[in-house]
Structure formats: structure tokens, C-alpha cells
Amino acid sequence: MSIIVDKTKKRVAILKAAMVVFSRDGYHRARIEEVAKEAGIGKGTVYEYFRSKTDLFLDLHEHMVSELKGFYLKELAEVREPDLLLERFIKVAFETFRLWEPFFLIFFDFWSQGGRGEHQELFQTRLKQAYSLSREEVATIISAGVTAGSFRPVDPLLTSSRILACLDGLVVQWLCDRQAFDLDRMRDELTTSVLRSLRP
Amino acid sequence: MSIIVDKTKKRVAILKAAMVVFSRDGYHRARIEEVAKEAGIGKGTVYEYFRSKTDLFLDLHEHMVSELKGFYLKELAEVREPDLLLERFIKVAFETFRLWEPFFLIFFDFWSQGGRGEHQELFQTRLKQAYSLSREEVATIISAGVTAGSFRPVDPLLTSSRILACLDGLVVQWLCDRQAFDLDRMRDELTTSVLRSLRP
DNA sequence: AGACAATGACCGGTCAGTCGGTCATTATTA
DNA sequence: TAATAATGACCGACTGACCGGTCATTGTCT
């Protein structure tokens, strides 16, 4: 019993260490020994918990996506009105820019892995799933708005893809150059433009 | 004289080969020997033209950005009306999705390099420059529209960033899953929503 | 003692970058 | 013109560094 708890805790500790090292050095440059050091354990121990570097990376992605999802669910739980929901969604997204910054920094490495290599199918599948999931989540909001008449009749999935794309692109620009724009002003500008584009 | 021409041609040939190999295998997985093979030359010769793998990558980026810019300039040369210009800009962007697909596939590796390593400043500077340039280009269009009264008074740079972010995000989603959405329908949806969001 | 967890020295494969040598082309000399 | 010399583009076998993954040993707990 206590063994199981320890195992899980240590697993998460390694994942956190991996997050730090991967985001600092990038997936390829990062060394497993460094992850172990960050977690305060020996290199061999990492392999007690993860089959390989690839596996660790894959699990890290899964872990972070699940945490992100939890954050969204919590923050959006009590909103009902489609337009408020959308506004809130964008607000939360911008908060994640800061809170999950290391995760987004890794994301490109993850993406890059998805395109090639022996494990590419695994990576690709996970990536598609993650996208597809969030796409449908937002599409549901838009659908509800269209049905309720507060949005004009747009294709929910298409619009959803567009909004998500915008958020993705913005985090990229921002991570690349924090001076590019002010996060708060951009959030307002995006919210306004999205709602305007959906006005009946 | 003829030697110089040959040198330049071969340089470009190596860059093209690098484009093929890097986009197929990813920057890290790609081997210089493979680039040489693709270019039909020996490995050592690559190093006659480029100091290092990093250098080759950096020059490849510069080469492609310059080609992309040329394509945009050519396609947008004769349009004057801000709203037509914006519509045309989006159209051209979607065309580049297909035409420059290998370049976009590499982009994430490039981005990833920009965050770390010994050459990170070089990568970062180039990335910032490229973004800043396109941002200002689009901002000019919007500015003109605002002045002419065909767009509502928005912050041109902020709006420009948002539109570019959307395009970036869309190419990512599309490269990740070609079935995610139909390119043509998405182009129309994006054009409509951008113009609606700018209507006075 | 027995079971199990942790460790880090070591192994083997990989690959960027080097370097000594080849060869085709051009310049020089007789 | 023909023989010889000089040039530099081209090459690929080789090297040294690097690092993921292993496993024999050591430590810890019951």
C-alpha cells in the first residue's frame, strides 16, 4: 500500500523534473542523467519508472494535457451562457500561457517528434486526439450559441478550429518574443474580435 | 567567373537537398551524409559550403524566408484596397500551406533550436525579425484600412499579430492532421471572420 | 535473511566534423 | 603545341565526443 503511494509520488516527481529539464534544454539536448539529478535520484532509477526517454516524454505529455484539461474544466464549470463561456475560455487560455509556459516550450519538440521516427504514429495519434478533443469542446459551446440564437449560423467545428489556432499561434509568438504584444490587451482584442465575428 | 556561378548553384542545390532531408527526418535525426547523398555529392563537400550543420540550418531558414517573402510580394503587388488586400493575403497564405509544406514542417525544429543551445541567440534574433517583419507588413494594410474608414479603429499591430497567429495555428493543425478541416472552406471562414471583426 | 529498490560505471552505437589524398581543369613554360 | 606545374573542388574513411540504456553491486526495509 505505502509502496504504491511512494511509487506514484516518485513517478510524478520524475515527470516534474523532466518538465524542467526538457523545457530548459529541449528534448534532444536534454540528458536523462540531468533529469535524474533534477529529481534527486540516480540515472538508473529513472529506468525503473519509464521504459525509455521516448516513453518518459510521451507520459509527460499525457500528464500535462490531463492537468491542463482539469484546469479548464475547473475554471469553466459554472458558466452557462455561450458568449460568456467563450470569453471565459479565452481568458483561461491566456492564463495558461503563463502558468504552463514550460509545457508550451516543450510542445514543439513533441510536435516535431510526431512527424518522424519510429514512434511517430504514437506521437501523431496523441496529438490528433488532443487537438480533436479541444476542437470538439469549443465547438460544443459555439453550437449551443448558434442554437440559442446568440451567434450567427456558422460551422461550429470550423470556427472552433480557427479560435484554437489563433490561441496556439499567439502563444508561439509570445514565447518567441515576450515584447511582441501585451498579453492582457491581446486577450481583450481577441475576445472582442471573436465575439464580433460571431454576432448574428 | 564561371566558378562563382557554379558555387552559387551548388550552394542552392545543397540547400534544397537539406530542405528535403530535414523536413523528412527532422533536424536532429537528419544526417549530413544524407543531405550530401540527396544533393549527389560527398559529405566533405557539404562542409566546403557550410561551416556546420547549424549553419546550414540557419542559412536554409534565411533562404526559405526570402523565397516566401518574394512570393507574397509578387502575389500582392497590384492590389490596393485594404479589404481586398487582406482577403488576398489570406488566400496567398493558404496557398503557401501546400506549396511550402516542407518548410513549415521544419519550422518547429527551427523554433525549438531558438529556445536553447549555444546558438540560441542567433536563432532567436532571426525568428523575432521574421515575425516582426510580417507583423508590420500586415499592420500597414490594416492601418491604411482604418485611415480610409473601411475598418473600425483597431490597434493595427495587435490585430496583425492576431491574424498571423491564426494562420500559424492553422498550418500547425493542418500539418498535424490533413483531415482536421478543409483548407478552402477554412480560408473562406477565416476571411469572413477577419473582415467581420474589422467592419466599422 | 530475503526481497526489492536504487545506483552509477560501463557498453555500444551514432554522427558531426576533420584531413590527407585524388583528380579535373587551368596556367605556365619550352 | 605539348609537357609540366599549380590550383582548388571534391571526397569518404576516420576520430572523438556524446548519451541512451544495462546490469552487477550496494543499500534498505521487513
Side-chain angles (χ1 to χ4, degrees):
Chain A
M1 183 61 175
S2 69
I3 293 172
I4 290 175
V5 170
D6 281 347
K7 278 253 177 191
T8 308
K9 270 188 189 168
K10 189 161 274 186
R11 217 188 107 89
V12 172
I14 296 174
L15 284 172
K16 281 187 181 173
M19 179 95 254
V20 172
V21 176
F22 283 162
S23 69
R24 188 189 62 207
D25 300 340
Y27 177 70
H28 286 95
R29 188 174 278 267
R31 293 182 293 125
I32 291 294
E33 201 166 355
E34 202 67 21
V35 173
K37 205 171 112 195
E38 176 70 29
I41 58 174
K43 181 182 173 181
T45 311
V46 173
Y47 285 91
E48 297 281 335
Y49 292 82
F50 302 92
R51 207 176 295 275
S52 65
K53 191 183 182 183
T54 306
D55 250 46
L56 173 58
F57 197 40
L58 232 25
D59 284 3
L60 175 60
H61 182 258
E62 196 173 18
H63 181 72
M64 296 310 294
V65 164
S66 138
E67 292 233 322
L68 249 186
K69 193 181 169 183
F71 184 67
Y72 272 103
L73 286 180
K74 199 185 73 190
E75 296 286 322
L76 301 179
E78 278 151 36
V79 193
R80 282 288 165 273
E81 297 295 313
D83 43 2
L84 283 181
L85 207 46
L86 216 47
E87 187 185 338
R88 189 64 184 266
F89 175 78
I90 292 171
K91 188 172 171 241
V92 175
F94 271 82
E95 277 165 20
T96 64
F97 284 10
R98 287 194 229 264
L99 293 171
W100 267 266
E101 185 182 320
F103 175 61
F104 292 121
L105 279 168
I106 293 181
F107 205 81
F108 301 94
D109 286 321
F110 192 87
W111 201 97
S112 181
Q113 285 295 302
R116 12 291 153 159
E118 34 181 345
H119 301 272
Q120 67 167 273
E121 273 166 55
L122 210 53
F123 278 92
Q124 230 161 50
T125 309
R126 299 251 184 127
L127 220 43
K128 277 191 199 177
Q129 269 176 2
Y131 261 127
S132 171
L133 217 74
S134 41
R135 206 146 48 211
E136 270 156 38
E137 211 73 48
V138 175
T140 307
I141 303 178
I142 295 170
S143 236
V146 171
T147 307
S150 45
F151 296 156
R152 70 189 175 93
V154 293
D155 180 322
L157 268 178
L158 224 50
T159 307
S160 162
S161 288
R162 172 174 67 82
I163 296 171
L164 288 169
C166 206
L167 289 168
D168 288 350
L170 285 174
V171 78
V172 174
Q173 270 186 67
W174 182 73
L175 287 175
C176 176
D177 180 6
R178 314 293 147 115
Q179 312 303 313
F181 50 78
D182 179 73
L183 274 188
D184 291 334
R185 289 185 61 212
M186 182 55 94
R187 187 199 55 218
D188 294 343
E189 138 76 21
L190 182 62
T191 306
T192 308
S193 74
V194 163
L195 291 179
R196 277 182 75 99
S197 77
L198 286 173
R199 272 218 294 251
Chain B
M1 182 62 170
S2 67
I3 292 171
I4 291 172
V5 171
D6 282 346
K7 277 251 175 190
T8 307
K9 270 189 190 169
K10 187 161 278 187
R11 219 188 106 88
V12 173
I14 296 174
L15 284 172
K16 280 188 181 173
M19 177 96 256
V20 171
V21 176
F22 283 162
S23 68
R24 189 190 59 207
D25 300 340
Y27 176 70
H28 285 96
R29 191 172 276 269
R31 293 183 294 123
I32 292 293
E33 201 165 356
E34 202 68 19
V35 173
K37 207 172 114 194
E38 176 71 29
I41 60 175
K43 180 181 174 181
T45 310
V46 174
Y47 285 90
E48 298 281 334
Y49 290 82
F50 302 91
R51 206 177 296 275
S52 65
K53 192 184 181 183
T54 306
D55 250 46
L56 173 58
F57 198 38
L58 232 24
D59 285 2
L60 176 58
H61 183 257
E62 194 172 20
H63 182 73
M64 294 312 293
V65 165
S66 135
E67 292 232 323
L68 249 185
K69 191 178 170 184
F71 184 67
Y72 273 103
L73 286 179
K74 201 186 73 191
E75 295 286 323
L76 301 178
E78 279 151 37
V79 192
R80 281 288 164 271
E81 297 295 315
D83 44 1
L84 282 181
L85 206 46
L86 217 46
E87 185 183 339
R88 189 64 185 267
F89 175 78
I90 292 171
K91 188 172 172 239
V92 175
F94 272 81
E95 276 166 20
T96 65
F97 285 9
R98 287 194 231 265
L99 293 171
W100 267 267
E101 185 181 320
F103 175 61
F104 292 121
L105 279 169
I106 293 182
F107 205 80
F108 300 94
D109 286 321
F110 191 85
W111 202 98
S112 182
Q113 287 294 302
R116 2 305 145 156
E118 34 182 346
H119 301 273
Q120 67 168 273
E121 273 166 54
L122 210 55
F123 277 93
Q124 231 162 46
T125 308
R126 300 251 183 125
L127 220 43
K128 277 191 199 178
Q129 268 176 3
Y131 261 127
S132 169
L133 217 76
S134 40
R135 207 146 46 210
E136 270 156 38
E137 211 72 50
V138 175
T140 307
I141 302 177
I142 294 171
S143 236
V146 171
T147 307
S150 44
F151 296 155
R152 70 189 174 94
V154 293
D155 180 322
L157 268 180
L158 224 48
T159 308
S160 162
S161 289
R162 172 174 66 84
I163 295 171
L164 287 169
C166 205
L167 289 167
D168 288 349
L170 286 173
V171 78
V172 174
Q173 270 186 66
W174 182 71
L175 287 175
C176 174
D177 180 6
R178 314 296 147 114
Q179 313 302 312
F181 51 78
D182 180 72
L183 273 189
D184 292 334
R185 289 187 60 213
M186 182 55 93
R187 187 197 57 219
D188 294 343
E189 138 77 20
L190 182 62
T191 307
T192 307
S193 72
V194 164
L195 291 179
R196 277 182 73 100
S197 76
L198 286 173
R199 271 218 294 250

